[in-house]
């Protein structure tokens, strides 16, 4: 069994999370500048067994898709060309940034650390992945 990777895709940077090889626990992995995402994934896939990826679906409270979805769809199209054997799953990422900010604030980090956008992105990816894993087992 291989890992599952989650991507909290953003215009500037992407939060990345990964499961363990048994696909039980989601852990924050990295924050990568979006322009370097493909290179990061190539290196990661060459060193790790990855069974699939989960990409956040940016939906607002009214159920409208965010404008970043256009960029996400381009990324997924390129991803499927580069890595045709790795399935892409989508998962609603509603509230993950707010939840990430809350969890970080509860973790004892100082104010400067709590405002670090990269940390929020990485924790958001972890939340997306953990929720995906939990829904999959229902």
């Amino acid at each position: 069994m291989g890992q599952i990777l989650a991507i909290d895709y953003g215009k500037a940077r992407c939060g990345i999370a990964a499961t363990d090889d048994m696909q039980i626990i989601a852990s924050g992995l990295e924050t990568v500048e979006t322009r370097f995402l493909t290179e990061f994934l190539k290196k990661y896939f060459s060193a790790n067994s990855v069974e699939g990826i989960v990409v956040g679906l940016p939906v607002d409270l009214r159920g409208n898709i965010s404008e970043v979805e256009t960029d996400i769809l381009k990324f997924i199209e390129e991803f499927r060309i580069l890595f045709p054997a790795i399935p892409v799953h989508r998962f609603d990422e509603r509230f993950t940034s707010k939840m990430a900010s809350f969890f970080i604030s509860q973790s004892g980090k100082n104010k400067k650390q709590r405002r670090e956008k990269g940390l929020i992105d990485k924790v958001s990816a972890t939340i997306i992945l953990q929720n995906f894993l939990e829904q999959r087992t229902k």
Side-chain angles (χ1 to χ4, degrees), residues 34-88:
T34 302
R35 61 190 173 128
F36 299 125
L37 180 59
T38 301
E39 290 106 54
F40 172 84
L41 294 173
K42 285 178 183 176
K43 287 179 189 174
Y44 192 84
F45 293 165
S46 69
N48 298 279
S49 173
V50 176
E51 192 173 287
I53 69 165
V54 179
V55 180
L57 180 64
V59 181
D60 68 16
L61 294 174
R62 294 182 181 159
N64 299 317
I65 302 292
S66 169
E67 67 180 56
V68 75
E69 178 67 5
T70 304
D71 296 327
I72 294 171
L73 291 173
K74 285 179 192 170
F75 162 73
I76 290 172
E77 188 177 315
E78 292 170 9
F79 181 90
R80 286 185 169 141
I81 292 168
L82 289 170
F83 310 104
I86 300 176
V88 178

Side-chain angles (χ1 to χ4, degrees), residues 5 40 45 63-64 78 86 89 93-94 98 113 116 118:
L5 225 61
F40 172 84
F45 293 165
N64 299 317
E78 292 170 9
I86 300 176
H89 307 277
E93 65 177 50
R94 213 174 319 200
K98 288 184 194 284
Q113 290 170 318
E116 182 188 325

